[in-house]
Amino acid sequence: MSDRLAIALAQINPTVGDVAGNLRRVRQARAEAAAAGADLVVCPELVLAGYPPEDLVLNPAFQDRVRAAAEALAAETADGGPALLVGAPWRVDGRLYNAALLLDAGRVAAVRRKHDLPNHGVFDEKRVFAAGAVPGPIMFRGVRLGVMVCEDMWTPDVAETLQESGAEILIVPNGSPYESDKADERLGLAVARVRETGLPLVYVNQVGGQDELVFDGASFALDADCTLRAQLPAFAEQVATGVWTRGADGWSCAAAPLAAPAEGMAATYGALVLGLRDYVDKNGFPGVVLGLSGGIDSALAAAVAVDALGPERVRAVMMPSPFTSQDSLDDAADCARRLGIPLRTIAIAPAMRAFADMLADAFGDREADASEENIQARARGVTLMALSNKFGDMVLSTGNKSEMSVGYATLYGDLCGGYAVLKDVYKTTVYALARWRNAVAPAGGRGPAGPVVPDRVLTKAPTAELRPNQTDQDALPPYAVLDAILKGLVEEERAVDDLVARGHDRETVQRVRRMLDRAEYKRRQAPPGAKITRRAFGRERRYPITNGFCG
């Protein structure tokens, strides 16, 4: 029986489908942990496949490649170095499981299959995996380890069974994506399992962006008295080893790092930066190109892009129309200067005239309306896409969640792009993030310190400038009101009567509800963007386009 165990938390950034690359990262983590004297290296959920693999995991060739990688890693553990606990899709008797594999002494020493498969929010694991039986402990070098895969920790059953079966330390590999305030929820659930079982707990989460999801890492370890003994940083890779010793009251951890947690605007901004960086880098784009209008959304999107990629990989384009104000021209130039990015000006008036001439006979004597306004937005979209095609940069869409919710955006215009960095950011949060970024240089950011969003951009009335003297509030309630209603409708699924009871005007709530429902077809065609709220559009909120309900 051992009274000492050094456990390394390998908070690494895998890429879905890149088995060879993920294998390299695990090997690097093991080498780093070996140098620190680790006995066991705990990696995130499904680390060899990348998480979430979605239907790729059903591909037999992919399953075979992951299995070969796991077996190769297992063989390498015959070198006397640390064992590995890695996640992989694993076939047993014709069924596919989300599994944690203990690789030790040159072999796959144990397999534990995820029992509680999530089927809510962004998760639909029941489509692709079979549920494993409630697991028992794994004997590892004289210590009984209770391995729970991610969701298995979120309810008491698995931890209780492991404790009753003699587990001494709970180990939890995770693929848990970021959303506002989720770190507190995770820690609260971990504390609950520790209190219920009287056992210490090691929680290892992956880090990195994967399409709409951002994994924040923030791995940690708790003693049996719920004392936080290790805390890894958010939004960064790290391998950290904690030394556990057995005493009269069980196991306790010492000599592990305690990073300050990311909270509030810092956490949200960090998620946006990492989500964009990994989307661009993992998909092989040289950089991004975006429209810089002189407004708040494009200014913040540009700041996030520069912090994610560096100014040398961001191109901005000002596309003025006859309705663009001099203030907007000046503010766009000021923003680009502060960020250190090039700004090209391409006027869309020639395109507007061309379309007016082309459509004159068809439109006849009808008054100008949203048709002409949408042509402006689409001319800008075509311009950005042409630059993307010519130079290879990905078009970065700059619309926010408030506008996406109510359809205040133009299909094939400002909705075009490869990634929408503010897709899940309400307008009021856009302003809060911009003010925060002006005051703080983000950790790991590649942009300049100091204010990057001009003061006038923060204070002037938001406008699309598609007609004279236009402001957003011509068509929408004030954003503070709109966002409060949208949070009730989208994230809380509240009825109109509930929101009226909170003090909102009934007619306003009903109008917002109608706009929200009507815009579903636009959202289905919008680019992906990082999830940061409790309920993002896309896989978490899938309303029918054809919908006769009015609630």
Side-chain angles (χ1 to χ4, degrees):
M1 179 179 292
S2 174
D3 290 328
R4 182 186 183 279
L5 191 65
I7 302 176
L9 287 66
Q11 181 172 291
I12 57 181
N13 185 346
T15 298
V16 168
D18 184 10
V19 180
N22 298 338
L23 185 58
R24 283 194 301 272
R25 288 184 181 273
V26 173
R27 284 172 171 153
Q28 290 166 0
R30 182 171 184 260
E32 187 175 341
D39 300 302
L40 175 66
V41 184
V42 181
C43 297
E45 178 180 12
L46 290 182
V47 66
L48 294 180
Y51 188 81
E54 302 188 68
D55 286 5
L56 174 62
V57 80
L58 300 177
N59 185 313
F62 179 66
Q63 296 172 19
D64 291 343
R65 190 170 300 177
V66 173
R67 192 177 192 102
E71 290 171 347
L73 273 178
E76 293 168 15
T77 62
D79 62 3
L84 284 161
L85 188 68
V86 299
W90 205 248
R91 282 179 303 196
V92 179
D93 297 329
R95 306 186 79 187
L96 187 65
Y97 296 93
N98 180 340
L101 314 177
L102 178 66
L103 312 180
D104 189 27
R107 64 193 179 94
V108 179
V111 178
R112 289 297 179 266
R113 310 165 197 171
K114 188 173 184 177
H115 171 68
D116 195 351
L117 300 177
N119 204 50
H120 56 83
V122 299
F123 305 105
D124 54 2
E125 289 191 26
K126 290 183 179 180
R127 291 185 60 250
V128 294
F129 291 118
V134 178
I138 298 172
M139 181 61 75
F140 174 70
R141 302 185 186 181
V143 184
R144 292 184 297 275
L145 303 179
V147 176
M148 306 187 291
V149 181
C150 198
E151 193 83 0
D152 289 344
M153 188 197 76
W154 288 63
T155 54
D157 297 351
V158 174
E160 180 182 359
T161 299
L162 288 167
Q163 186 267 336
E164 291 173 349
S165 304
E168 298 172 77
I169 302 175
L170 299 175
I171 308 286
V172 192
N174 286 266
S176 181
Y178 171 83
E179 60 188 43
S180 298
D181 301 322
K182 191 173 184 181
D184 290 341
E185 182 179 12
R186 290 189 201 121
L187 184 60
L189 288 164
V191 166
R193 302 293 89 83
V194 170
R195 285 178 173 162
E196 291 158 3
T197 62
L199 299 177
L201 182 147
V202 176
Y203 182 103
V204 180
N205 193 23
Q206 82 173 42
V207 67
Q210 173 60 33
D211 296 344
E212 299 99 332
L213 302 181
V214 181
F215 297 88
D216 52 319
S219 306
F220 59 87
L222 297 172
D223 266 356
D225 63 0
C226 297
T227 301
L228 185 67
R229 292 298 188 185
Q231 177 69 70
L232 273 57
F235 310 114
E237 290 187 284
Q238 185 174 348
V239 178
T241 299
V243 177
W244 293 78
T245 55
R246 190 201 310 264
D249 296 325
W251 288 88
S252 180
C253 179
L258 283 170
E263 298 175 329
M265 291 296 108
T268 298
Y269 196 87
L272 296 176
V273 166
L274 182 56
L276 176 59
R277 180 183 295 157
D278 275 1
Y279 191 85
V280 171
D281 288 346
K282 291 180 179 182
N283 286 292
F285 291 104
V288 298
V289 59
L290 76 160
L292 196 59
S293 67
I296 185 65
D297 295 325
S298 63
L300 179 62
V304 172
V306 170
D307 283 326
L309 306 172
E312 69 279 1
R313 298 178 66 191
V314 180
R315 300 170 185 253
V317 187
M318 173 41 133
M319 295 167 283
S321 78
F323 306 117
T324 302
S325 68
Q326 187 60 48
D327 281 357
S328 292
L329 293 166
D330 294 343
D331 291 341
D334 188 13
C335 185
R337 179 188 59 78
R338 291 167 184 250
L339 289 168
I341 58 176
L343 177 65
R344 180 183 293 274
T345 298
I346 302 175
I348 63 167
M352 294 168 62
R353 289 193 295 270
F355 274 105
D357 291 343
M358 185 174 71
L359 294 168
D361 288 343
F363 282 3
D365 58 0
R366 289 175 179 261
E367 292 291 328
D369 55 17
S371 306
E372 286 78 8
E373 294 178 12
N374 288 342
I375 285 172
Q376 296 174 56
R378 289 174 180 139
R380 292 183 171 112
V382 168
T383 301
L384 291 172
M385 291 305 301
L387 293 170
S388 174
N389 293 157
K390 184 63 69 176
F391 299 105
D393 296 319
M394 183 194 76
V395 174
L396 188 64
S397 178
T398 62
N400 62 68
K401 186 172 186 175
S402 305
E403 295 166 357
M404 194 84 70
S405 297
V406 295
Y408 195 65
T410 303
L411 273 178
Y412 327 119
D414 48 319
L415 278 179
C416 79
Y419 190 84
V421 68
L422 305 180
K423 182 177 182 179
D424 200 31
V425 184
Y426 289 108
K427 187 79 167 190
T428 49
T429 308
V430 169
Y431 281 102
L433 285 168
R435 292 188 175 95
W436 177 87
R437 177 58 180 86
N438 276 356
V440 178
R446 300 174 184 176
V452 294
V453 178
D455 287 341
R456 185 165 58 194
V457 173
L458 289 163
T459 57
K460 67 184 180 183
T463 172
E465 291 191 322
L466 299 175
R467 61 177 182 269
N469 302 314
Q470 181 186 25
T471 69
D472 290 2
Q473 267 55 71
D474 295 342
L476 303 174
Y479 280 114
V481 174
L482 177 62
D483 288 354
I485 293 171
L486 288 172
K487 288 175 184 178
L489 294 173
V490 175
E491 295 179 40
E492 302 173 30
E493 202 65 68
R494 295 291 184 181
V496 170
D497 287 345
D498 295 333
L499 298 180
V500 172
R502 292 181 180 180
H504 294 291
D505 174 68
R506 179 176 295 277
E507 183 178 345
T508 301
V509 175
Q510 289 175 330
R511 182 163 70 94
V512 171
R513 175 88 221 193
R514 288 193 298 270
M515 296 168 77
L516 176 67
D517 289 345
R518 283 200 304 265
E520 184 66 30
Y521 78 100
K522 290 186 179 182
R523 292 190 291 271
R524 295 284 184 96
Q525 300 178 67
K531 165 185 163 60
I532 65 162
T533 67
R534 285 286 178 178
R535 199 177 189 201
F537 291 119
R539 67 175 75 191
E540 275 192 300
R541 188 184 188 276
R542 292 171 283 186
Y543 263 56
I545 296 173
T546 305
N547 176 12
F549 178 75
C550 181

